[in-house]
């Protein structure tokens, strides 16, 4: 599942639009939509999205034995 798909799912659960998310991130709806279309987000942007949505965010690799890196 792409990061854009995950963001869209969270927005539905939070009853929030892309426009509202863009406003909360202090960016334009057009800019956010372009990033979502390309599925091109930096780690910092994903952390900011989680922060404005009031949710947690984790990024890690998980090895075969369950170890997170």
């Amino acid at each position: 599942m792409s990061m854009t798909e995950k963001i869209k799912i969270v927005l539905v659960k939070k009853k929030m639009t892309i426009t509202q998310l863009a406003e909360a991130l202090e960016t334009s709806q057009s800019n956010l939509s372009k990033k979502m279309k390309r599925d091109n987000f930096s780690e910092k942007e994903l952390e900011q999205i989680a922060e404005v949505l009031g949710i947690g965010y984790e990024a890690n690799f998980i090895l075969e034995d369950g170890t997170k890196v």
Side-chain angles (χ1 to χ4, degrees):
M1 179 182 303
S2 72
M3 193 54 68
T4 293
E5 291 171 320
K6 292 177 183 182
I7 292 169
K8 287 180 178 180
I9 290 168
V10 172
L11 289 177
V12 168
K13 289 182 180 274
K14 291 286 191 171
K15 296 181 171 97
M16 190 174 201
T17 65
I18 292 172
T19 302
Q20 291 169 319
L21 177 58
E23 289 173 5
L25 293 169
E26 299 180 350
T27 190
S28 70
Q29 185 270 337
S30 174
N31 185 47
L32 181 57
S33 291
K34 287 176 186 175
K35 285 190 160 291
M36 291 180 80
K37 186 174 182 177
R38 293 188 310 261
D39 198 37
N40 183 21
F41 296 94
S42 69
E43 195 77 18
K44 182 178 178 182
E45 290 169 328
L46 294 171
E47 290 170 354
Q48 289 173 329
I49 289 169
E51 184 177 330
V52 300
L53 292 173
I55 60 175
Y57 170 74
E58 289 183 359
N60 47 52
F61 296 101
I62 303 169
L63 301 175
E64 295 84 9
D65 66 358
T67 303
K68 293 181 181 180
V69 178

